[in-house]
Amino acid sequence: GESVGLHLPTLSVQEGDNSIINCAYSNSASDYFIWYKQESGKGPQFIIDIRSNMDKRQGQRVTVLLNKTVKHLSLQIAATQPGDSAVYFCAEPWAGGTSYGKLTFGQGTILTVHP
Amino acid sequence: DVKVTQSSRYLVKRTGEKVFLECVQDMDHENMFWYRQDPGLGLRLIYFSYDVKMKEKGDIPEGYSVSREKKERFSLILESASTNQTSMYLCATTRGGSYEQYFGPGTRLTVT
């Protein structure tokens, strides 16, 4: 989930296991959320998004769950593969007025998948 | 597919130099962003632009300026580079009305 300071949360799993990455968001009025994946040396890539009128959305091997009551998002990756090793960020629309597509990003979670 | 390119993957500059980082996108997106990314601090917004010649400060604009003379191109300028500007710089774009940001590959800048 979220992190304060210099150390990102880390998750270490075996290949084939399911992974769950958590994120706490700050703005109860946020109506849209995105998960990004950032591999080493690359820019973040969009994985999946969810609107606040949904509790769950599924993609290919990924599922995002939204709990608005506790302002919590999770990203579930099924049958995790070594290629899933990356930093995962959640993001929500910037809350400070006209946004022009601005996002507020979580600190990120490092996922390491061991063969 | 949206393509966002950045002028350099790696750059080494000396303290006091003027540094230009360029971002080009090919999808006619209205909004463009510059972030820096540092270990443990996540993505921090430096500046963004919502139209040609329009720009707004992000969370950490000090020591930076930007230029957007054409819709597809957004430049980040370090007027006088300092060692604390050593970082990964990421450019992103979105079309108007969307939050789905597309990122470039990043420029790792080292200031010595």
Side-chain angles (χ1 to χ4, degrees):
Chain A
E2 295 298 318
S3 160
V4 176
L6 298 177
H7 301 289
L8 293 183
T10 59
L11 177 64
S12 202
V13 301
Q14 290 296 127
E15 182 177 1
D17 287 353
N18 296 333
S19 302
I20 300 175
I21 299 168
N22 297 305
C23 176
Y25 62 92
S26 54
N27 182 12
S28 56
S30 287
D31 60 358
Y32 179 69
F33 303 90
I34 301 178
W35 279 99
Y36 282 92
K37 171 186 180 183
Q38 186 177 21
E39 297 175 82
S40 181
K42 296 183 179 180
Q45 289 181 290
F46 172 93
I47 304 173
I48 191 167
D49 59 2
I50 188 168
R51 297 207 170 273
S52 61
N53 60 355
M54 304 170 72
D55 297 324
K56 179 180 179 178
R57 188 164 189 220
Q58 287 185 288
Q60 190 175 17
R61 280 201 309 117
V62 295
T63 300
V64 57
L65 299 178
L66 175 61
N67 185 332
K68 294 181 285 292
T69 303
V70 294
K71 293 190 288 186
H72 183 268
L73 276 172
S74 67
L75 178 71
Q76 300 179 359
I77 306 174
T80 316
Q81 302 167 1
D84 295 326
S85 294
V87 179
Y88 290 81
F89 298 93
C90 63
E92 61 182 311
W94 185 71
T98 306
S99 72
Y100 297 112
K102 286 198 293 182
L103 293 169
T104 299
F105 291 88
Q107 295 295 330
T109 296
I110 301 171
L111 173 65
T112 304
V113 183
H114 300 284
Chain B
D1 276 355
V2 176
K3 192 158 186 187
V4 183
T5 57
Q6 294 184 228
S7 48
S8 306
R9 291 301 305 274
Y10 300 94
L11 208 52
V12 180
K13 295 291 181 181
R14 293 194 181 276
T15 302
E17 281 193 83
K18 192 168 185 175
V19 182
F20 292 87
L21 303 181
E22 195 163 72
C23 176
V24 178
Q25 51 106 353
D26 67 355
M27 283 300 291
D28 204 35
H29 283 181
E30 287 79 7
N31 304 320
M32 297 186 75
F33 309 83
W34 275 108
Y35 296 91
R36 63 177 284 175
Q37 185 177 35
D38 301 287
L41 296 177
L43 287 156
R44 294 184 290 168
L45 182 65
I46 304 171
Y47 266 97
F48 70 100
S49 169
Y50 51 91
D51 202 350
V52 175
K53 297 191 188 294
M54 306 304 287
K55 60 189 179 187
E56 285 196 17
K57 294 178 181 178
D59 300 318
I60 51 164
E62 296 78 19
Y64 303 94
S65 62
V66 290
S67 172
R68 191 160 179 209
E69 296 296 318
K70 294 185 178 181
K71 191 174 185 180
E72 68 270 19
R73 197 177 297 265
F74 191 35
S75 301
L76 180 69
I77 303 151
L78 286 66
E79 295 291 342
S80 177
S82 63
T83 55
N84 64 11
Q85 291 178 310
T86 291
S87 187
M88 169 70 93
Y89 289 87
L90 288 159
C91 174
T93 77
T94 66
R95 61 177 169 78
S98 171
Y99 289 105
E100 187 178 338
Q101 293 190 11
Y102 294 84
F103 284 84
T107 296
R108 187 164 292 283
L109 172 68
T110 302
V111 183
T112 62

